[in-house]
Amino acid sequence: DQQVKQNSPSLSVQEGRISILNCDYTNSMFDYFLWYKKYPAEGPTFLISISSIKDKNEDGRFTVFLNKSAKHLSLHIVPSQPGDSAVYFCAASGSGTYKYIFGTGTRLKVLA
Amino acid sequence: DTAVSQTPKYLVTQMGNDKSIKCEQNLGHDTMYWYKQDSKKFLKIMFSYNNKELIINETVPNRFSPKSPDKAHLNLHINSLELGDSAVYFCASSQGTTNYEQYFGPGTRLTVT
C-alpha cells in the first residue's frame, strides 16, 4: 500500500520555465512533508519542507504548496535551470511515527 | 567535509556471505537511519536509532542487524546474503525524531551474485 504517490515518473521542462512536481498521499495523519532532490550516485538532498498548519512555503526558487483537503502537495521551481535536472522525492510523516514515507520519485529534465 | 559518510560505496559479494556497511555523521545529530532503495527505486526505511536506542524496526529479515556504538555511528551488518538483498543502502541522520529533515549519505550499492 503506497501511502505517498508521485504519479509522474518523469517531466521535461524548458530552461527558464516553471517546473511543477506533484505528490499525493492517502494517510490523513501525515502532518509534515518534505521534498528531496537526488542526483545519480548520490544520496537525496533536502530541498524544502512544509508543516500541515501551512499551505505554502517558499525558499528562493522553490515553493511547496499543500492542499490538505485533496491530500496533495506540489513543488514549484521557478525559473527552472539545467542544474535542477534530478530525481525529486516527496516524503511524509505523522507525529510520533519517527519515520518518513517516500514517494517513488519524479525525474525532472530541464532542457537548455 | 562530508556530513554523512558511508563505507564502502560499492560492495560485490556472493550469496551466503556476511558483510557490513559503516556509517558516520559529523553533524552532531542524535537520530540515524538506514534506508533501502530497491530496483524499483522505492526508498524504504529499515531502522532508526535515537541516542543509540532502536526506535524503528520495520519488517526487515533478522539477517539484518544494525549496531550503534555511539550517536555518530550506525553500522549495518547483513548475514547470509541473498540475491534479493541487492540494492542501494542509504544511511541518514537528523537533528530529532520528527519534523526534521534528514541528511543522507552517498549510498552503498550492494550486489549479491
Side-chain angles (χ1 to χ4, degrees):
Chain A
D1 178 27
Q2 190 65 15
Q3 298 183 67
V4 178
K5 298 178 185 177
Q6 292 176 256
N7 291 320
S8 298
S10 63
L11 174 68
S12 290
V13 171
Q14 284 294 130
E15 181 180 6
R17 299 286 185 102
I18 183 171
S19 294
I20 300 176
L21 296 100
N22 294 304
C23 180
D24 296 295
Y25 61 96
T26 58
N27 190 335
S28 57
M29 300 301 291
F30 287 150
D31 60 4
Y32 196 71
F33 305 88
L34 307 93
W35 283 95
Y36 288 84
K37 177 168 75 172
K38 186 183 180 303
Y39 293 120
E42 294 184 11
T45 303
F46 169 73
L47 267 178
I48 192 168
S49 61
I50 188 166
S51 163
S52 61
I53 62 173
K54 294 185 174 182
D55 54 20
K56 177 183 173 181
N57 190 23
E58 202 169 344
D59 184 1
R61 296 185 298 114
F62 302 93
T63 303
V64 56
F65 295 92
L66 176 62
N67 182 333
K68 289 187 289 294
S69 60
K71 295 191 181 69
H72 176 84
L73 64 155
S74 61
L75 174 69
H76 292 210
I77 307 173
V78 182
S80 301
Q81 300 172 353
D84 296 330
S85 297
V87 177
Y88 289 78
F89 291 95
C90 66
S93 77
S95 277
T97 62
Y98 304 135
K99 66 181 181 182
Y100 293 99
I101 306 297
F102 280 77
T104 49
T106 296
R107 182 177 300 278
L108 173 66
K109 191 170 185 179
V110 180
L111 307 168
Chain B
D1 193 21
T2 306
V4 182
S5 58
Q6 295 178 229
T7 53
K9 191 164 175 64
Y10 299 97
L11 187 53
V12 181
T13 188
Q14 291 184 325
M15 283 175 55
N17 285 348
D18 303 339
K19 289 293 177 185
S20 291
I21 307 172
K22 295 186 175 181
C23 178
E24 177 181 1
Q25 55 96 2
N26 62 7
L27 298 167
H29 291 166
D30 58 10
T31 307
M32 295 185 73
Y33 310 81
W34 277 110
Y35 283 85
K36 178 181 179 181
Q37 186 178 35
D38 60 22
S39 56
K40 293 183 179 177
K41 306 302 181 188
F42 284 107
L43 197 63
K44 286 187 179 176
I45 190 159
M46 301 171 68
F47 302 103
S48 176
Y49 273 74
N50 176 252
N51 286 317
K52 300 195 300 174
E53 291 209 14
L54 183 67
I55 58 170
I56 295 174
N57 185 351
E58 291 295 281
T59 49
V60 177
N62 56 17
R63 298 182 294 103
F64 290 77
S65 53
K67 283 193 172 48
S68 182
D70 56 57
K71 287 199 313 181
H73 296 85
L74 179 61
N75 303 323
L76 183 65
H77 188 76
I78 316 170
N79 289 329
S80 303
L81 277 155
E82 300 177 357
L83 293 176
D85 298 331
S86 295
V88 182
Y89 292 84
F90 289 100
C91 176
S93 72
S94 65
Q95 189 175 347
T97 53
T98 53
N99 293 6
Y100 289 98
E101 64 270 23
Q102 296 171 338
Y103 292 78
F104 284 80
T108 295
R109 182 174 292 278
L110 171 65
T111 303
V112 182
T113 61

